[in-house]
């Protein structure tokens, strides 16, 4: 087992994800956890996450420095390394030159964290501070052209620090470094699987819920479907799912999902039509955060009205995943900066009458898919591309109207049909269309047009924390564009989004 201390990094759960990929169990704790509490958990190692603070700031987060006296290997990442340096007598200062993005790392020796790693390897940096003075007993183990102490180690104490982020995809040999820490340095055994996670989670749900009833907001996506199946395995008929048709779904999606979910999951599901309520509430609203909050509020109003018809329900279940939480708040008490609110998180009323059950909140999308396969969920549900909770409302940029939603639905239907036909649906993380709030001049036939512009967005990713734009074949993009312009009335221009995350997000709003 590994304990990860959450100093507020946007990537703290990604560290956990990397550890789990190695089939090692881990849990994340806030900086308020004591050394004695960590000792009682008996971990094989500790990882200190990065974070947005500077260690020399007055209110910078700190964990009990007693962790360095437990005789347990410790790996500090970015801010975590700075905390280690500061706690053990070294000094951190503001860097003369900040370092963001790719950096060529030169490892001094191929031992410790760098066993089996190339002498020069690509890493991902994101820091404005650097090590000025190392603590006693530490040596520099790697450098970049901009950062002298890009990695450090006290081999005797098994303390290691890296300035870069080994957990992100951009660090070419990051997984190898993490494996070296887990197996060579900490001596962990690879025994944690989705099967064991399912078993433990089902037991936890039974313990938490008891004989009470649970209501789940079902969207038909893989997240809520897996959550429903997991909870159903735990409490059976005491689970009731509510599917709210908010008018913000893709073309014919409500009808298709109703058939699939009813026939395949064999779970009690109630369907509620509420499209007019959502579209009316969103009238003339253009700010994306307001859209999310409004959708969250209307959803809960509709949901609670239906939930009141279910007697003796004490719990509300959601298919919330970790990326939903990390972009909304710090999930484990660390000081993570808020990027955007999520309708499952930020839009919930403060005085909810139902207690939350979120069995997937510590998992990433690909882990949920593996869990779905483990539970026996059908492939077409397991591999359904992510679809945002606020639906097409955040893909219609600017004002929401039924007409604009209908245009986007037709565009989206053409796009997905071609993506599937070309064999790219499972190759990309997401593929969708965005209706822009601007128009352009065009020529159709012999006449001048002044119509809508749509943007096509397709990205590759493994966890949604980072993503790259998909290099779709030009021939496929040309076919998609031609079909959209020819078949969808009101569109005369199609553009392709070639932005990566970061700095852009996957969704436009």
């Amino acid at each position: 087992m590994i304990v990860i201390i959450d100093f507020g990094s946007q990537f703290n759960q990604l560290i956990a994800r990397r550890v789990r990929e190695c089939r090692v169990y881990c849990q994340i704790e806030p900086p308020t956890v004591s050394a004695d509490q960590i000792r009682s958990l008996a971990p094989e190692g500790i990882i200190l996450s990065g974070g947005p603070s500077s260690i020399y700031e007055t209110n910078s987060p700190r964990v009990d420095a007693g962790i360095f006296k437990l005789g347990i290997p410790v790996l500090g990442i970015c801010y975590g390394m700075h905390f280690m340096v500061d706690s053990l007598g070294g000094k951190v200062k503001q860097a003369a030159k900040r370092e963001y993005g790719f950096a060529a790392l030169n490892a001094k020796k191929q031992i410790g964290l760098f066993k089996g790693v190339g002498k020069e390897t690509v890493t991902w940096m994101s820091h404005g501070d650097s090590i000025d003075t190392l603590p006693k007993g530490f040596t520099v183990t790697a450098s970049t052209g901009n950062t002298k102490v890009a990695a450090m180690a006290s081999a005797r104490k098994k303390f290691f620090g890296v300035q870069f982020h080994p957990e992100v995809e951009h660090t070419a040999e990051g997984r190898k470094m993490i494996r070296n820490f887990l197996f060579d340095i900490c001596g962990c055994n690879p025994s944690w699987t989705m099967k064991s996670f399912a078993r433990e989670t089902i037991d936890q749900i039974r313990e938490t819920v008891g004989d009470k009833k649970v209501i789940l907001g079902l969207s038909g996506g893989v997240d809520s479907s897996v959550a429903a199946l997991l909870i159903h395995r735990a409490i059976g008929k005491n689970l009731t799912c509510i599917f709210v048709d908010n008018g913000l779904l893709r073309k014919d999606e409500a009808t298709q999902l109703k058939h699939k979910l009813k026939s395949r999951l064999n779970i009690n599901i109630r369907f509620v039509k509420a499209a007019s309520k959502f579209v009316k509430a969103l009238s003339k609203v253009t700010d994306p955060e307001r859209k999310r909050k409004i959708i969250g509020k209307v959803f809960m109003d509709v949901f609670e009205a239906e939930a009141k018809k279910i007697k003796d329900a004490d719990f509300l279940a959601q298919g919330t995943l970790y990326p939903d939480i990390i972009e909304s708040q710090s999930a484990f008490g660390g000081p993570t900066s808020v990027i955007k609110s999520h309708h499952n998180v930020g839009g919930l009323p403060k005085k909810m009458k139902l207690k939350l059950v979120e069995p997937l909140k510590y998992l990433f999308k690909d882990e949920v898919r593996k869990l779905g396969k483990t539970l026996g969920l059908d492939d077409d549900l397991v591999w359904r591309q992510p679809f945002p909770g606020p639906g097409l409302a955040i893909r219609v940029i600017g004002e929401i109207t039924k007409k604009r939603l209908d245009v986007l639905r037709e565009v989206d239907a053409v796009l997905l049909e071609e993506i599937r036909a070309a064999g790219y649906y499972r190759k990309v993380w997401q593929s969708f269309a965005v209706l822009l709030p601007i128009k352009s001049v065009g020529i159709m036939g012999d006449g001048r047009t002044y119509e809508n512009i749509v943007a096509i967005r397709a990205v590759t990713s493994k966890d949604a924390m980072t993503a790259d734009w998909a290099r779709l074949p030009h021939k496929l993009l040309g076919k998609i564009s031609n079909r959209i312009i020819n078949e969808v009335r009101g569109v005369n221009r199609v553009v392709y989004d070639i932005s990566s995350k970061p700095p852009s997000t996957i969704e436009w709003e």
Side-chain angles (χ1 to χ4, degrees), residues 268-315:
N268 181 26
I269 306 171
R270 298 188 179 198
F271 290 85
V272 183
K273 293 183 178 181
S276 60
K277 291 183 180 179
F278 283 86
V279 175
K280 183 179 179 180
L282 290 166
S283 177
K284 298 181 181 179
V285 176
T286 59
D287 179 74
E289 276 298 288
R290 281 197 65 207
K291 286 181 184 179
R292 288 174 178 271
K293 297 289 186 181
I294 288 168
I295 292 166
K297 183 181 183 304
V298 176
F299 173 81
M300 287 310 299
D301 288 345
V302 172
F303 190 90
E304 285 182 341
E306 189 66 24
K308 285 178 182 177
K309 301 174 185 177
I310 302 168
K311 295 181 179 180
D312 303 321
D314 284 3
F315 292 88

Side-chain angles (χ1 to χ4, degrees), residues 302-371:
V302 172
F303 190 90
E304 285 182 341
E306 189 66 24
K308 285 178 182 177
K309 301 174 185 177
I310 302 168
K311 295 181 179 180
D312 303 321
D314 284 3
F315 292 88
L316 166 67
Q318 292 185 156
T320 310
L321 303 193
Y322 186 71
D324 300 331
I325 294 175
I326 198 62
E327 293 189 345
S328 308
Q329 63 190 54
S330 184
F332 300 92
T336 304
S337 299
V338 172
I339 296 176
K340 63 185 179 183
S341 66
H342 184 269
H343 88 290
N344 274 359
V345 182
L348 290 176
K350 291 181 180 178
K351 295 182 179 179
M352 251 184 74
K353 295 179 181 179
L354 301 172
K355 289 171 277 190
L356 272 178
V357 176
E358 297 174 301
L360 310 179
K361 68 180 178 180
Y362 299 153
L363 298 184
F364 287 87
K365 181 71 73 174
D366 67 322
E367 291 178 317
V368 173
R369 286 188 170 129
K370 288 177 184 175
L371 180 58

Side-chain angles (χ1 to χ4, degrees), residues 383-426:
W383 290 103
R384 191 165 180 261
Q385 287 185 0
F387 188 68
L392 298 182
I394 58 169
R395 293 179 180 174
V396 171
I397 310 301
E399 187 177 358
I400 307 292
T401 64
K402 185 179 182 302
K403 183 178 179 180
R404 298 191 77 209
L405 286 167
D406 287 341
V407 168
L408 184 57
R409 281 193 188 94
E410 295 300 323
V411 170
D412 191 74
V414 171
L415 168 64
L416 290 183
E417 186 179 319
E418 290 300 330
I419 289 288
R420 284 192 173 97
Y424 275 86
Y425 188 78
R426 282 174 60 170

